Amino acid sequence: MNRAQWKEHVGSPKGGKSRTVNMTAQLSAALKAHRHLKGPRVLYSDDGSVADRDALSSWIRRAERRAGLKVTGRLHILRHTFCSRLAMRGATAKAIQELAGHVSLSTTQRYMHLSPAAKENAIRMLDGPIPGTAFGDSLETGAGEGAKH
């Protein structure tokens, strides 16, 4: 991303740094199929005008209503969804940080929310054997007396 738009101003991205935005193959194909149908941007309103912040907020409110969620119209929810879905699929916090473009890992952690099912799946990991061990293997869990460092 080499340009950013805030209100009616187009300029350098936040922090003055451009970056590559990674995307899924499915999203890439969808963007390629629809890009330039109405102009140089990706998102347009039904009337052909540029999808501004108000239009995007309206689309989010409509999606929230359909999903039975609290209706806020906040676009930023998409960043939370992105980070949360990556976390629930097992992406490392460092990978999520880089994909989200966060400088600080603590910022990324504020965006990662787990569903109740993801938490349940995580605790169930303790029910099975530890991968790569055989029955009866002894595992060192800490540095006790006489432990080598």
Side-chain angles (χ1 to χ4, degrees):
M1 180 172 17
N2 295 322
R3 293 176 295 149
Q5 181 172 347
W6 175 248
K7 300 195 176 177
E8 296 302 316
H9 175 72
V10 177
S12 297
K14 184 177 174 182
K17 297 179 183 176
S18 65
R19 65 185 180 100
T20 300
V21 177
N22 300 83
M23 62 184 77
T24 65
Q26 185 178 2
L27 176 57
S28 178
L31 290 174
K32 285 176 185 173
H34 296 287
R35 189 163 177 106
H36 302 296
L37 292 180
K38 295 181 182 178
R41 294 183 170 255
V42 176
L43 299 174
Y44 290 87
S45 293
D46 290 339
D47 65 4
S49 64
V50 171
D52 61 11
R53 187 171 188 80
D54 290 338
L56 296 172
S57 290
S58 172
W59 297 348
I60 293 291
R61 284 192 300 276
R62 190 176 334 149
E64 289 168 330
R65 275 192 292 277
R66 286 182 189 164
L69 300 172
K70 179 181 174 184
V71 178
T72 66
R74 293 186 185 140
L75 300 172
H76 210 69
I77 193 71
L78 298 174
R79 289 182 65 78
H80 287 267
T81 301
F82 175 75
C83 293
S84 296
R85 292 224 174 153
L86 286 168
M88 286 185 267
R89 291 185 178 221
T92 65
K94 184 66 176 165
I96 298 168
Q97 174 192 357
E98 291 187 17
L99 287 167
H102 294 146
V103 173
S104 166
L105 187 57
S106 63
T107 299
T108 304
Q109 290 173 322
R110 289 193 303 263
Y111 282 84
M112 295 171 19
H113 313 285
L114 296 178
S115 68
K119 292 176 190 176
E120 184 63 26
N121 288 338
I123 197 65
R124 292 297 143 241
M125 290 176 174
L126 294 174
D127 287 340
I130 297 172
T133 62
F135 182 75
D137 280 354
S138 175
L139 298 175
E140 188 174 326
T141 59
E145 264 186 62
K148 293 182 181 178
H149 296 281

